[in-house]
Amino acid sequence: QIFTYDQTTNNNLRINNFTRTGYTFLGWSRNSSATSAEFENGAAVLNLTAINNDNVTLYAVWKANNYSIRFESCDGSVTSNKTIAKKYDEYFDVTAVYTKKGYSIIGYSKTSCSGSKDYPISSQIKNLANAEGSSVTLYTLWKSNDYKIVYEPNGGTGAIDATKCTYDSNCSVTNSKFNREGYEFVG
């Protein structure tokens, strides 16, 4: 825009047409790194410079929108869900929020407790939502823990391979192949 020094008519700044995903426009500043606006949108200005044909650059000032991330436990150890607040463009670590006996968290889904893994544990993510006051739900995905049964002869002889088992699944105990002179195996 072209302005004339000391002119008080037609001296309003243009209305902002810029957009920035995840941000709210606060106004204008002469400082490119400003966090607060020096001039409101469409504000009247007067004598920003006294130099003829000088340029005054105004920078858009943006504020990152807030949103909340709600973690759904999906049968975890708690009855309530956890919610954290974040700003757009703010990174955060997705870590294990809940515990469940015999299970490990493998990640989080954006769709449901049985959805696909959108975010693995310990990944850094940002920008899950961009609307002021919006909420995003991440659903906890669980995997049954594996364990082994190792057989110890306890004074006997022989060898039995370990049995691989999964928590909450039936696991068969291998029949004994141990021997111990003068003893009967009872279990």
Side-chain angles (χ1 to χ4, degrees):
Q1 286 179 270
I2 297 173
F3 292 93
T4 303
Y5 194 82
D6 275 342
Q7 182 177 332
T8 58
T9 58
N10 298 321
N11 64 342
N12 287 57
L13 296 174
R14 288 194 180 126
I15 298 298
N16 173 41
N17 286 326
F18 298 127
T19 59
R20 185 175 177 188
T21 301
Y23 288 80
T24 299
F25 176 74
L26 297 179
W28 303 100
S29 175
R30 290 181 263 200
N31 181 344
S32 64
S33 58
T35 57
S36 61
E38 188 176 351
F39 307 104
E40 292 181 11
N41 200 19
V45 295
L46 185 64
N47 302 339
L48 296 181
T49 182
I51 301 170
N52 192 32
N53 292 320
D54 195 13
N55 287 322
V56 175
T57 301
L58 297 181
Y59 298 91
V61 179
W62 301 98
K63 175 187 167 207
N65 292 339
N66 294 317
Y67 66 97
S68 62
I69 303 158
R70 179 181 172 269
F71 290 90
E72 170 71 46
S73 66
C74 298
D75 258 352
S77 63
V78 293
T79 55
S80 64
N81 297 309
K82 182 177 180 179
T83 302
I84 60 173
K86 289 293 169 190
K87 292 187 181 304
Y88 195 80
D89 275 345
E90 181 180 15
Y91 279 101
F92 65 97
D93 287 322
V94 178
T95 57
V97 176
Y98 301 108
T99 59
K100 182 177 179 181
K101 183 180 178 183
Y103 289 81
S104 296
I105 296 177
I106 58 169
Y108 294 94
S109 171
K110 294 187 288 188
T111 57
S112 70
C113 291
S114 58
S116 62
K117 181 170 59 172
D118 296 308
Y119 303 106
I121 295 298
S122 298
S123 63
Q124 280 215 335
I125 58 176
K126 69 176 183 174
N127 303 348
L128 291 179
N130 62 18
E132 183 72 35
S134 68
S135 178
V136 175
T137 300
L138 292 182
Y139 300 89
T140 307
L141 301 176
W142 300 97
K143 178 189 174 297
S144 299
N145 291 339
D146 293 329
Y147 64 95
K148 289 182 183 177
I149 297 176
V150 178
Y151 302 95
E152 172 60 46
N154 201 20
T157 60
I160 300 175
D161 292 336
T163 303
K164 183 179 177 186
C165 300
T166 302
Y167 192 81
D168 267 349
S169 297
N170 288 331
C171 190
S172 299
V173 176
T174 303
N175 290 331
S176 173
K177 295 180 185 171
F178 293 136
N179 294 306
R180 185 172 179 188
E181 192 175 325
Y183 287 83
E184 178 185 341
F185 179 76
V186 292

